[in-house]
């Protein structure tokens, strides 16, 4: 089934460790996004990429980095994890061609706990 | 700046009764408006969208939403609620002119449908 695959599903991480959350899509969407979901705050955009080779900062980019080497993959890296990065992370994609209305397709999420 | 408000943390309805989940937004120009649903431990799923045209839009699972430009609202509705509609609902907005492909989400409203 076409869609977005995220890995790992869940991870417990010691503070200060480096962690990469993986995201792969097979819908050939140009645009990809990383959101974090926290209780009472909804989803907040961390980083996005409108097309391969370009990235941009969202609402809460500090402590995170992304890369977009190709259309399908959009990994999110925490260089040195802190407890406030404990959250559920969602990767999403959308069709960004001219005329597209841009509804998002989401992965199943990666639950990260930083101790 | 774009923003989305969902004034109710939780909405409780009896099965068979109509339901409304409220959403207001603040965006300059003509926004794209969306509703998404999230079931437990799952990613968000697209329900419906308003881009232009008829103010009443219909989506998946019998849901509909009414766009009201003067009140800057986009309330989600369903004539007859089902227990299986119990989930977390997110309103979202995208400004195609200034926001690029970034989508901003409300904090979410939990819908509880009692049998």
């Amino acid at each position: 089934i076409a869609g977005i695959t995220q890995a790992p599903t869940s991870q417990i991480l010691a503070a200060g460790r480096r962690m990469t959350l993986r995201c792969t899509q097979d819908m050939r969407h140009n645009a990809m996004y990383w959101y974090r979901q926290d209780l009472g705050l909804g989803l907040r955009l961390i980083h996005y990429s409108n097309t391969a080779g370009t990235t941009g900062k969202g609402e809460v980019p500090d402590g995170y980095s992304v890369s977009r080497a190709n259309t399908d993959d959009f990994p999110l890296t925490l260089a040195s994890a802190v407890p406030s990065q404990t959250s559920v992370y969602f990767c999403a994609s959308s069709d960004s061609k001219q005329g597209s209305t841009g509804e998002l397709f989401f992965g199943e999420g990666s639950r990260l706990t930083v101790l | 700046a774009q923003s989305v408000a969902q004034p109710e943390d939780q909405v409780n309805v009896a099965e068979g009764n109509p339901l409304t989940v409220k959403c207001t937004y603040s965006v300059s120009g003509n926004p794209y408006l969306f509703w998404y649903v999230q079931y437990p431990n799952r990613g968000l799923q697209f329900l419906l969208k308003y881009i232009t045209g008829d103010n009443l839009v219909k989506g998946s699972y019998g849901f509909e939403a009414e766009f009201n430009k003067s009140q800057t609202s986009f309330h989600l509705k369903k004539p007859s609620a089902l227990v299986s509609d119990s989930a977390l609902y997110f309103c979202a907005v995208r400004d195609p002119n200034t926001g690029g492909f970034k989508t901003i989400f409300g904090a979410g409203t939990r819908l509880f449908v009692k049998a």
Side-chain angles (χ1 to χ4, degrees), chain A residues 31 33 35 37 40-43 45 48 50 57 59 90 95-96 100-104 106-108 111, chain B residues 32 34 36 38 41-46 49 51 88 90 94 100-108 110:
Chain A
Y33 315 82
Y35 286 88
Q37 183 178 18
L41 297 176
L43 277 79
L45 182 65
Y48 66 96
N50 285 339
K57 294 181 179 181
E59 302 170 72
F90 288 98
D95 183 359
S96 62
S100 165
T101 53
E103 55 264 36
L104 300 175
F106 284 85
E108 294 292 285
R111 182 176 296 275
Chain B
Y32 293 176
F34 305 85
Y36 292 83
Q38 184 181 32
N41 300 312
R42 303 295 302 276
L44 280 71
Q45 299 175 31
F46 168 74
K49 64 185 176 186
I51 305 302
L88 189 54
F90 290 96
R94 183 164 77 84
F101 294 96
K102 292 180 285 184
T103 300
I104 304 300
F105 287 82
R110 187 165 300 280

